[in-house]
Amino acid sequence: MIPQALKQELLHRVKEAITPREAAVDVMKALQQHYGWLTDEAVGEAADVLGLSPLQVEELATFYEMIYRRPVGRTVIHVCDSISCWAMGGETLLKQLEQRLNVSAGGTTDDGSITLVPCSCLGNCGDGPALMIGDRLYGPVSMEKAEQIISGLPSAP
């Protein structure tokens, strides 16, 4: 159950939006931050706050790659899988990260510290290949730069 203060904040966000759906991503991200991922309970709470059905929230949640419907590591690395990044070495970067972290794309390291997620586009096409950790965007990323980034993570394996 979400704390009352968070619920009030989310209700305020919905009230300020033109339509409840406009606030849906913000609400889901806030609940994801609270729980660590968007649990089934959080889907129901989001539906309640947004005035939508749980199915409508589920549809939105599964559309957005940065809304996690299953547990993830403490750090999530999104690797851009767009054609621009792919052409600039994104596929190779993803394979190298899989080897470095000993995890398949979409998976989480054994210690639960890092989840590696390919995503359709990070909107950084001019600086591909790109990756994103939290709200920070990196690019262009060589494997050497990726190693520096990973080594600087508090949960680096």
Side-chain angles (χ1 to χ4, degrees), residues 31-149:
L31 291 171
Q32 178 172 276
Q33 186 173 12
H34 176 72
Y35 288 107
W37 58 288
L38 196 67
T39 63
D40 290 343
E41 180 182 4
V43 168
E45 291 168 338
D48 182 48
V49 167
L50 292 163
L52 301 173
S53 73
L55 178 59
Q56 289 172 309
V57 173
E58 180 72 24
E59 289 171 345
L60 291 168
T62 55
F63 176 79
Y64 292 101
E65 292 174 326
M66 294 185 187
I67 301 295
Y68 313 123
R69 286 293 287 131
R70 60 185 172 94
V72 294
R74 292 180 294 281
T75 299
V76 179
I77 300 175
H78 292 270
V79 180
C80 189
D81 195 24
S82 72
I83 186 66
S84 297
C85 284
W86 181 82
M88 298 303 290
E91 185 178 33
T92 301
L93 177 64
L94 180 60
K95 287 185 187 300
Q96 290 174 329
L97 286 171
E98 287 178 321
Q99 291 174 354
R100 164 62 175 86
L101 298 171
N102 194 28
V103 65
S104 298
T108 301
T109 56
D110 288 341
D111 65 357
S113 63
I114 296 176
T115 299
L116 184 64
V117 179
C119 76
S120 59
C121 185
L122 292 173
N124 198 31
C125 301
D127 283 328
L131 60 85
M132 190 155 113
I133 301 172
D135 292 331
R136 186 160 180 195
L137 189 59
Y138 300 88
V141 179
S142 63
M143 192 52 207
E144 293 76 25
K145 186 170 182 176
E147 183 58 42
Q148 289 174 344
I149 294 166

